[in-house]
Amino acid sequence: MNIVGPQQRLSTRLAFLVAGLAMSAWAPLVPYAKARVGLDEGGLGLLLLCLGGGSLLAMPLTGVLSLRFGCRAVILWAGALTCVLLPGLACAPSAALLAVNLFLFGAAIGTLDVAMNVQAVIVERDSGGALMSGFHGLFSVGGFAGAGSMALMLWCGMAPLAAAAVLAVVSALVLAGAAPSLLREPDHAGRGGPLFVMPHGAVIFIGVLCFIVFLAEGAMLDWSALFLTGARGLDAGRGGLGYAAFASAMTLGRLTGDRVVGRLGGKRVLLLGGACAAAGFVFAVLAPSAGAALLGFVLIGLGASNIVPILFSAAGNQKTMPAGLAISAITTIGYAGILAGPALIGFVARAASLNVAFAGLGCAMLLVAASARLGAAAPGRAG
């Protein structure tokens, strides 16, 4: 029987930190990988699909593995594989080998992502209070630390392989610190149930809401700089300020989110968060200057920060299918939003404009706000 206490909460936070560290470490390595294997932009785009493809294939299977073997085994194996594969991203000598490494790295990250969220749902439920936003906040902190430290090491002249090896070792040490208190046994709520259930009902609904939010997050990652430089006249050297403003606000929102959710409740936070993010998109579209648009990006980050954690909690508390399988399903659906986001935004921007695409995302976030009662209180939600 799993016992949930402070050590289990800490180990869950460390698992999220490891995922953020390892995943973000790849971003600064992309230009080096592109030059090393001799790819143009089109070839690089196809190569990057391997990362998402590996994740999407692994995520649906992780719920089954967590139900059968428990979170600890899945998190440790996936985390160890992630650490082993990370240096390979910095030294793969050909496009084919890099594609295989990216696919396996994506599968390991996707498995770790689902398993740690399954553990987070169990720990939050058995602790009796809001914890999910804080867990996801540690993922964001890991993202800042991983990308920042990798970029700093490369800027200081360290070889990409050496820098990747340093982050792999750090991630492995953090994972080792988490290992003793990870949940060893399968969730008792799903014990004896089926190992596969076709997603339906509340799970599909929650997954669609996750898809919308991840779509908005992906738009910030891939299009915020172009929006500021192309539509608002900001110079290219400062284009990254848009995503920095968004990500900083999201991290702050998540680190303080547990107290906010505990005080206001999931429904109100989902309603207010969706409305705030929608207002941010509208503000950015109507803003007369780049500085004003940055304020819109801050509103988007603050508004969206706690929506996905609330939806994950709701998925873990519904009764239509085991929590592990539900988390696998909504993570897969949501992650598809990140992968589809760049293409969908690009299509709308080419057919109309980037302003129209961002306004459409604002309308989509209003749909999330309007679904607050159902999204935060899926059938069977505890309490």
Side-chain angles (χ1 to χ4, degrees):
M1 178 180 178
N2 290 308
I3 299 175
V4 173
Q7 291 302 315
Q8 285 67 39
R9 292 193 286 272
L10 176 60
S11 70
T12 309
R13 294 186 178 97
L14 292 178
F16 276 80
L17 182 65
V18 168
L21 281 170
M23 188 171 183
S24 64
W26 162 239
L29 292 173
V30 173
Y32 293 87
K34 178 177 179 293
R36 187 175 65 252
V37 300
L39 291 174
D40 58 14
E41 282 72 13
L44 179 63
L46 290 175
L47 187 70
L48 293 177
L49 288 176
C50 295
L51 180 65
S55 293
L56 283 179
L57 284 177
M59 283 175 173
L61 301 175
T62 306
V64 176
L65 295 175
S66 298
L67 281 176
R68 183 177 290 275
F69 300 110
C71 296
R72 183 177 188 271
V74 180
I75 290 173
L76 290 181
W77 278 104
L81 183 59
T82 298
C83 294
V84 169
L85 291 170
L86 179 56
L89 300 178
C91 66
S94 68
L97 287 175
L98 183 56
V100 172
N101 201 315
L102 274 173
F103 181 86
L104 294 175
F105 185 76
I109 285 288
T111 301
L112 177 60
D113 193 312
V114 173
M116 70 188 188
N117 274 291
V118 172
Q119 160 131 344
V121 164
I122 299 170
V123 170
E124 182 185 58
R125 185 188 63 212
D126 292 353
S127 297
L131 297 171
M132 191 66 73
S133 292
F135 293 149
H136 283 253
L138 264 292
F139 178 86
S140 298
V141 170
F144 274 113
S149 59
M150 176 66 77
L152 179 62
M153 287 186 286
L154 295 173
W155 182 74
C156 290
M158 186 177 290
L161 177 58
V166 168
L167 271 184
V169 170
V170 170
S171 299
L173 291 174
V174 176
L175 187 67
S181 297
L182 292 171
L183 303 183
R184 296 173 180 270
E185 297 184 23
D187 182 16
H188 63 84
R191 193 174 298 163
L195 290 180
F196 177 79
V197 177
M198 184 64 69
H200 60 280
V203 174
I204 291 292
F205 179 73
I206 294 170
V208 170
L209 296 182
C210 282
F211 178 92
I212 293 173
V213 180
F214 280 129
L215 182 65
E217 292 183 20
M220 288 293 96
L221 175 64
D222 295 300
W223 291 97
S224 59
L226 188 59
F227 178 85
L228 290 174
T229 57
R232 293 297 176 268
L234 195 67
D235 63 88
R238 293 189 291 170
L241 290 175
Y243 185 72
F246 164 80
S248 299
M250 173 166 278
T251 302
L252 177 63
R254 285 182 169 172
L255 291 177
T256 58
D258 291 336
R259 282 176 289 176
V260 174
V261 174
R263 177 171 297 182
L264 299 180
K267 295 178 188 177
R268 288 182 181 175
V269 174
L270 200 57
L271 172 63
L272 295 174
C276 180
F281 276 111
V282 173
F283 193 89
V285 168
L286 299 178
S289 66
L294 286 174
L295 178 58
F297 290 168
V298 169
L299 292 176
I300 295 168
L302 287 174
S305 59
N306 294 305
I307 294 178
V308 168
I310 290 171
L311 294 176
F312 271 78
S313 294
N317 287 317
Q318 51 72 47
K319 304 300 182 184
T320 60
M321 60 190 296
L325 302 184
I327 296 297
S328 290
I330 69 166
T331 304
T332 304
I333 297 171
Y335 197 77
I338 293 180
L339 296 181
L344 289 176
I345 300 301
F347 176 79
V348 175
R350 184 172 63 179
S353 70
L354 200 50
N355 277 328
V356 171
F358 273 37
L361 288 171
C363 293
M365 293 305 298
L366 280 179
L367 291 177
V368 174
S371 304
R373 186 177 66 85
L374 297 175
R381 184 175 185 269

